[in-house]
Amino acid sequence: MKITVLSRSASISSTRRIVEAGRARGHRVRVLNPLRVQMHLDGGSQATLLYDRKKLTPTDVVIPRIALSISTYGLAVVNQFGLARVPLVNHAQAIAQSRNKMRALQLLSAHGIDVPATVMARDAAHLKEMVGLVGGVPVLVKLLQGQEKHGVMVCESLQSLEAALEAVLGLGHNIVMQEYVRSTGQDVRVLVVGGQAIAGVLRKPRPGRLSHTLNRGARLEALTLSPGHRATAEKVARLVGLEVAAVDILDVQGHPKVFEVNSSPALLEMEAATGMDLATPIIERAEALVAGAAPVWSAALETPQALLPPPERKGTVKVNAPRS
């Protein structure tokens, strides 16, 4: 089987692990930088994909690892492979859905997934006034389109929150603020592949003077997934339509609340914490898609409206037909 991994570099640890796992199973694996892929459209039924201006040879399946910094162009490349009927391990629309944090939370909340108290505003003063709505400090402050490693901060005091808000909003970023429970809750990450939860870790951020990201310097510990963690993470991945997803859960006394979904999760750190090979299941899912397995994305297309509750009706409105 010919596998194409879309990634800025083959040396990136997660990309390298996927390549190693694919080759270990006897597949031909190539890594393409999405920015070096050109697309030619002419209104015909077949568009042309080129790499460094040379026509790309066919591939059996594509595994996207699109960096947020090239999201717009990279997702156009993913979408073009999809239009050519190449199986995708994460569809472009599902990746885009997961990366808009507020829209993802809106989708999940509308379908019965519990999420932490969340507020969004454009003004720092308004956000400071709304701290009480998310339970007070500490709080999570997140860039609306933030990168996984750099887009989430924990602010442990009103002073650190004020400094973070001024810095982030001053750069023109949109942010959301969420409740964060340290003393009675657990920060859980669940890796879901092909609709199945396969691994989980606890994330324990190291304290900082002002604020710190959850991932930079965080300690990961292996976690035996509870039925609640497993069911919640699997439902979230199906709703968003992701074949590969890291579902981040705030677990407060056994009650899971989903606070984020990531479409290109880091693998090496989770492998080190769990002692598991997490790259091979991704390759196995790619094999299944090529063999004709139903993609998670097709189920996501069918479920949103069906899962929405019916609109509340407070009375019957009689409409008289016009007289002829």
Side-chain angles (χ1 to χ4, degrees), residues 64 75 78-79 82 88-96 241-243 297:
L75 292 184
V78 176
N79 195 53
L88 301 172
V89 181
N90 280 353
H91 193 283
Q93 288 175 263
I95 298 171
L242 290 170
E243 298 285 351
W297 176 246

Side-chain angles (χ1 to χ4, degrees), residues 8-282:
R8 291 293 299 274
S9 173
S11 64
I12 296 172
S13 60
S14 296
T15 301
R16 185 177 67 249
R17 285 290 299 118
I18 291 171
V19 171
E20 291 171 349
R23 290 174 178 167
R25 291 180 66 83
H27 303 305
R28 295 172 59 186
V29 186
R30 66 182 179 186
V31 177
L32 301 182
N33 181 344
L35 294 182
R36 294 168 61 185
V37 176
Q38 296 89 39
M39 293 164 283
H40 171 237
L41 309 174
D42 62 4
S45 60
Q46 288 293 332
T48 304
L49 284 164
L50 306 101
Y51 194 71
D52 290 340
R53 298 175 300 281
K54 296 179 181 179
K55 189 173 181 179
L56 272 174
T57 57
T59 187
D60 295 310
V61 64
V62 170
I63 302 177
R65 297 284 305 185
I66 303 298
L68 187 78
S69 59
I70 61 164
S71 195
T72 300
Y73 192 89
L75 292 184
V77 173
V78 176
N79 195 53
Q80 196 60 55
F81 276 106
L83 291 173
R85 301 287 189 258
V86 177
L88 301 172
V89 181
N90 280 353
H91 193 283
Q93 288 175 263
I95 298 171
Q97 178 83 281
S98 71
R99 288 188 170 173
N100 188 309
K101 294 177 174 57
M102 194 65 179
R103 287 180 60 188
L105 290 174
Q106 289 170 329
L107 171 69
L108 300 180
S109 181
H111 291 83
I113 299 293
D114 199 4
V115 301
T118 303
V119 295
M120 180 180 176
R122 289 295 300 269
D123 186 271
H126 294 161
L127 280 169
K128 285 188 291 183
E129 293 171 0
M130 297 165 76
V131 169
L133 295 177
V134 297
V137 292
V139 296
L140 292 179
V141 174
K142 309 162 105 177
L143 301 184
L144 197 61
Q145 296 279 4
Q147 298 183 45
E148 182 188 355
K149 291 187 177 180
H150 310 296
V152 183
M153 296 175 287
V154 181
C155 297
E156 302 187 29
S157 68
L158 289 175
Q159 291 78 13
S160 65
L161 174 63
E162 182 175 5
L165 292 179
E166 290 177 354
V168 174
L169 292 175
L171 294 173
H173 295 296
N174 293 320
I175 65 175
V176 295
M177 187 168 63
Q178 286 182 329
E179 70 173 305
Y180 181 63
V181 181
R182 167 107 27 101
S183 59
T184 59
Q186 293 181 324
D187 178 0
V188 175
R189 165 161 286 196
V190 182
L191 183 65
V192 182
V193 179
Q196 302 294 317
I198 65 170
V201 292
L202 285 176
R203 299 192 300 182
K204 296 187 175 181
R206 294 190 172 95
R209 290 183 180 179
L210 173 64
S211 60
H212 51 273
T213 67
L214 281 176
N215 285 349
R216 185 182 296 171
R219 291 188 295 110
L220 302 184
E221 297 179 3
L223 173 71
T224 300
L225 293 174
S226 70
H229 292 146
R230 189 178 298 277
T232 297
E234 291 174 353
K235 183 176 180 180
V236 166
R238 288 196 303 271
L239 281 171
V240 180
L242 290 170
E243 298 285 351
V244 176
V247 180
D248 294 336
I249 297 172
L250 178 65
D251 188 310
V252 183
Q253 298 177 345
H255 183 64
K257 297 183 178 185
V258 176
F259 65 88
E260 193 163 339
V261 188
N262 288 291
S263 57
S264 295
L267 299 179
L268 206 60
E269 294 87 346
M270 284 193 73
E271 288 187 329
T274 62
M276 297 173 61
D277 172 4
L278 301 179
T280 296
I282 296 174

